[in-house]
Amino acid sequence: KQWYQRRVAITAGGTALIYKTCYTMAVTNLSSNLKSLEYTAATIKTARSTKVLFIIIYRTGSLTSLFNQELDALLSVAFAKCDSIIVAGDLNIHFNVASNNGIISQSLRVLNSYGMVRQIYDATHVNGGSLDQIFTFSLNKQLTCTHSIDQEIRLGSDHFPVLCNFSFALVGKYFKSLEYRNIKNMDTESFSDELACIVNKGMAILDSSFEKAASDFSQASVSLLDEYAPIIKKRVAVVDSAPWFDSEYRNLRKKRRKAESNWKSTKSQEDKTVYKELCSETTTLALTKKKEYFSRVITKSNGNARTLYSMVDKELDRKQSKILPDTEDIAE
């Protein structure tokens, strides 16, 4: 199958994303009314439901600062949607001469500011230059890319085919065991009556031995509780909580899930529209919550560089182990 983004009012040209039917991809709109570039964007889900966003770009016309502005706007929306992103296509930019060209240097700075890694350094055009590029980003460093450039088979084009393979390392879920009692559904009246009998029995032998009475009462109470509300063991996945994930956002997600369930049940266009509107509203609210949270953290730092670096390391999951020098046991 393919996602094909046609040029407006022109029958030819445009960008496309071709994929195997065994995969499920969903086209996504990142920005509209772009004048300096064309793009097709779609997401694919991994086995662990992690989304990877593919953005196929073709830069049109001359390279100006407008392209860098629109590229920045495009990436800002993309990074709010996914933590793993692949940007590929004919950018038609000679990145190998970036040091001699201010506009090209600015293009690289925009991409680098989002942590995107350049993959292609060899020539992809018959006249030289790595015009066809691949940039990748993965928040947890799960995404890797290998590629090769076929300079023998061009199929009539002045560009060489760039063959690439993307590998995504799946992160295993962490689980913990919980133990609890279903107190809400037990027969509290019967439990209270039997517990009173245990108390009265314990009071009868209290004078002879307080220690024995306390031990018997404890054992009898636990046995009674096990009878009415036995311990239930449950294995649950450990999910890191986001600091910006508040009740407002949680309630909106509940509404979205309910709307999705209604749409799947009724299959009506009206319910589908409601679901799509809630999806858009949820995405916008998530982005707003993230911005507000990081703005508060930066404001509270009061210009303290150490606090800012700590925040960046935490959000990028940069955990550095402390390296201590070797030591000897003095006692030995």
Side-chain angles (χ1 to χ4, degrees):
K1 290 186 177 181
Q2 69 173 4
W3 292 112
Y4 179 31
Q5 188 68 33
R6 296 178 180 272
R7 289 178 178 170
V8 180
I10 302 178
T11 56
T15 54
L17 179 61
I18 304 173
Y19 63 98
K20 291 184 177 180
T21 54
C22 60
Y23 298 110
T24 301
M25 299 199 76
V27 68
T28 181
N29 182 34
L30 301 177
S31 186
S32 58
N33 300 322
L34 299 177
K35 298 179 180 179
S36 64
L37 62 92
E38 301 168 346
Y39 78 94
T40 297
T43 57
I44 184 173
K45 279 188 177 181
T46 67
R48 293 280 169 82
S49 297
T50 301
K51 286 185 179 181
V52 180
L53 175 61
F54 287 83
I55 308 175
I56 310 303
I57 291 179
Y58 176 71
R59 188 184 63 80
T60 60
S62 302
L63 179 60
T64 64
S65 58
L66 176 62
F67 169 75
N68 295 324
Q69 295 171 10
E70 294 187 340
L71 177 63
D72 189 14
L74 190 74
L75 292 177
S76 65
V77 177
F79 272 73
K81 293 179 177 290
C82 291
D83 291 336
S84 296
I85 298 174
I86 297 169
V87 175
D90 181 8
L91 299 184
N92 198 20
I93 298 175
H94 290 270
F95 287 104
N96 53 309
V97 296
S99 58
N100 301 323
N101 188 297
I103 299 295
I104 298 178
S105 298
Q106 186 183 3
S107 300
L108 276 176
R109 284 196 297 270
V110 170
L111 292 161
N112 292 335
S113 67
Y114 288 92
M116 305 212 72
V117 179
R118 178 183 170 188
Q119 301 292 338
I120 308 297
Y121 288 88
D122 298 326
T124 64
H125 193 270
V126 291
N127 294 328
S130 52
L131 307 184
D132 305 275
Q133 269 299 332
I134 299 174
F135 286 87
T136 59
F137 172 83
S138 182
L139 183 61
N140 297 318
K141 310 300 181 184
Q142 298 170 259
L143 183 65
T144 57
C145 172
T146 57
H147 71 276
S148 62
I149 300 173
D150 191 342
Q151 298 185 356
E152 301 296 331
I153 303 176
R154 293 189 286 113
L155 301 176
S157 173
D158 54 358
H159 291 255
F160 301 129
V162 179
L163 309 177
C164 54
N165 179 63
F166 298 105
S167 300
F168 195 85
L170 298 177
V171 178
K173 289 185 177 180
Y174 296 95
F175 294 88
K176 66 177 180 181
S177 297
L178 299 178
E179 294 184 355
Y180 66 97
R181 299 179 186 270
N182 190 3
I183 304 293
K184 292 182 178 180
N185 295 330
M186 77 177 192
D187 187 350
T188 55
E189 292 185 3
S190 298
F191 177 79
S192 298
D193 293 340
E194 293 196 36
L195 184 61
C197 292
I198 294 175
V199 172
N200 293 331
K201 183 179 179 182
M203 293 296 292
I205 63 173
L206 183 61
D207 295 337
S208 60
S209 174
F210 176 81
E211 184 177 352
K212 184 178 184 307
S215 176
D216 291 345
F217 175 73
S218 177
Q219 293 178 8
S221 300
V222 172
S223 298
L224 182 63
L225 186 60
D226 288 338
E227 179 183 346
Y228 278 86
I231 294 176
I232 301 173
K233 295 183 178 181
K234 188 176 182 180
R235 189 166 174 259
V236 297
V238 178
V239 180
D240 294 334
S241 60
W244 50 268
F245 201 114
D246 59 9
S247 58
E248 181 185 8
Y249 181 64
R250 186 179 292 105
N251 291 334
L252 187 59
R253 283 166 59 96
K254 289 180 181 179
K255 290 181 180 179
R256 184 185 64 181
R257 286 195 297 269
K258 186 176 181 180
E260 181 182 12
S261 179
N262 290 339
W263 168 52
K264 288 182 177 180
S265 299
T266 63
K267 303 295 182 181
S268 70
Q269 186 62 37
E270 182 180 356
D271 288 336
K272 182 179 181 180
T273 302
V274 172
Y275 169 61
K276 283 191 171 183
E277 290 176 352
L278 283 172
C279 285
S280 177
E281 188 177 347
T282 305
T283 301
T284 302
L285 183 61
L287 181 58
T288 302
K289 294 292 184 183
K290 289 179 182 179
K291 288 181 177 179
E292 291 176 351
Y293 166 71
F294 287 115
S295 295
R296 288 195 300 268
V297 173
I298 293 173
T299 302
K300 288 182 180 179
S301 68
N302 293 324
N304 189 322
R306 184 174 182 178
T307 304
L308 291 175
Y309 278 117
S310 298
M311 180 196 70
V312 173
D313 289 340
K314 179 182 178 181
E315 297 304 325
L316 296 182
D317 197 24
R318 295 174 179 171
K319 298 179 181 178
Q320 298 181 356
S321 58
K322 294 182 179 179
I323 302 175
L324 299 177
D326 296 332
T327 184
E328 296 181 359
D329 191 344
I330 298 176
E332 294 180 358

